[in-house]
Amino acid sequence: MSSCSGVQSALDPAGHEAREVATLFWVMAIGAGVVWCLVLGVAVYATRIRPDPHEEAVGWRLILWGGVVFPTVVLAALLVFGLGLMPQLREPGEGLRIDVSGEQFWWRVTYRPADGPAVVSANEIRVPVGERVEFGLTSPDVIHAFWIPALGGKVDMIPGRENRLVLKAEKPGTYRGACTEFCGASHALMAFDVVAIEKAAFSAWLAAQATPPSPPEGEAARGRELFLRHGCGACHRVAGTEAAGEVGPDLTRFGARATLGAATLANTPDNIARFVRETGALKPRAKMPAYPNLPGEELAAIAAYLGSLK
Ligand code: CUA
């Protein structure tokens, strides 16, 4: 019962597609409950109330009506109801397109607005409330699956092809998505936040993403120097700096995300330092090497820098 609500529940829908799926679920659950009670009723009648033999004609009638006609009608009605939901779920989006790629073990996110430059991010997806957003889903390595239970889904991310998914958030809020196809040692540590915000706020946010974050000061400035000197930029990109790696998550607005390591830990300075120091222990088989030999004060400066990237 504890999964009936919360940020990651298909039974607590916050989007159009999830609501349709939840309706289908309740129709099927209640229908199955009614059928179950009917079958139990017949069983109790035949074993307790009238256990003695019945006429053969009664048996044939029960099989014909209860075993052929009733299931055919019920399943046909369910099929028609389910097929009726599908065209709505497949309508194309109205403009915004977000490409998401499942990596080991994180999410590469690229916003492709109809009227502006593409914006690259990772491990957090923002969507406008009340607008259909089209997701292009793929993977460069193994099969992952993309599921935001509160909004809809789920769709496999398959290397070499692109699957489409159209979702519409109906309520502002933060929801949780997860990888739902076993993809390796850190499959269970591959999640993401979905932040649904009002359309005007979303447009302003997306426009702001096109400019690099303001330059860091104080400890964060020293952190940037260390970040570049230790070669983090070989794998990570931070727009506006020489860090332009594409192997790992884009960190341009890392400080604005609520979590790190694809929703593995809360985004706090201590956790950033921990993640850099003992990556493999926190996230088995992640491609990022651990840096156990970095002095604590350098880690703190790097954490301050990454936290400042908003
Ligand atoms: Cu990615 Cu499981």
Side-chain angles (χ1 to χ4, degrees), residues 4-220:
C4 290
S5 63
V7 295
Q8 193 183 319
S9 175
L11 298 181
D12 187 6
H16 174 77
E17 288 69 20
R19 194 156 37 75
E20 303 277 62
V21 173
T23 305
L24 182 63
F25 168 80
W26 285 115
V27 166
M28 288 180 71
I30 293 167
V34 170
V35 171
W36 185 73
C37 290
L38 281 175
V39 172
L40 273 192
V42 173
V44 168
Y45 179 78
T47 55
R48 304 279 156 178
I49 299 171
R50 268 204 56 190
D52 44 304
H54 293 257
E55 277 172 50
E56 207 174 312
V58 174
W60 278 115
R61 241 179 291 151
L62 182 68
I63 289 170
L64 179 68
W65 289 100
V68 179
V69 177
F70 182 69
T72 305
V73 169
V74 167
L75 292 178
L78 191 60
L79 181 68
V80 170
F81 179 66
L83 287 178
L85 297 177
M86 285 175 69
Q88 297 179 28
L89 298 183
R90 297 219 169 143
E91 275 169 30
E94 282 153 6
L96 180 64
R97 183 188 160 101
I98 305 177
D99 287 335
V100 185
S101 171
E103 314 271 333
Q104 292 199 345
F105 299 89
W106 57 280
W107 310 86
R108 188 187 298 276
V109 181
T110 310
Y111 299 83
R112 299 192 190 283
D115 53 353
V119 170
V120 180
S121 181
N123 296 335
E124 185 194 88
I125 299 173
R126 292 200 182 212
V127 292
V129 170
E131 197 175 321
R132 295 180 74 87
V133 175
E134 184 173 349
F135 290 93
L137 305 170
T138 190
S139 160
D141 40 50
V142 298
I143 300 178
H144 304 265
F146 181 86
W147 192 22
I148 311 164
L151 297 187
K154 65 190 178 184
V155 172
D156 275 0
M157 308 170 104
I158 300 170
R161 64 170 289 167
E162 186 184 78
N163 284 334
R164 286 177 50 242
L165 173 68
V166 180
L167 298 178
K168 180 163 106 179
E170 290 176 329
K171 274 192 272 180
T174 300
Y175 311 104
R176 192 171 188 271
C179 180
T180 47
E181 183 78 46
F182 182 71
C183 53
S186 283
H187 160 69
L189 296 172
M190 188 171 170
F192 57 101
D193 286 322
V194 181
V195 184
I197 50 179
E198 295 300 342
K199 204 179 158 189
F202 178 84
S203 301
W205 173 82
L206 193 59
Q209 302 302 298
T211 57
S214 42
E217 289 167 10
E219 194 189 19

Side-chain angles (χ1 to χ4, degrees), residues 234-288:
C235 292
H236 295 286
R237 173 176 169 269
V238 178
T241 74
E242 62 206 63
E246 294 196 342
V247 178
D250 186 290
L251 300 178
T252 303
R253 307 280 172 173
F254 173 83
R257 295 177 208 148
T259 65
L260 66 92
T264 301
L265 295 169
N267 192 355
T268 65
D270 282 352
N271 283 340
I272 299 172
R274 243 182 99 199
F275 196 86
V276 175
R277 198 172 52 226
E278 41 188 291
T279 318
L282 294 168
K283 194 134 188 183
R285 298 290 175 118
K287 285 182 181 162
M288 175 168 155

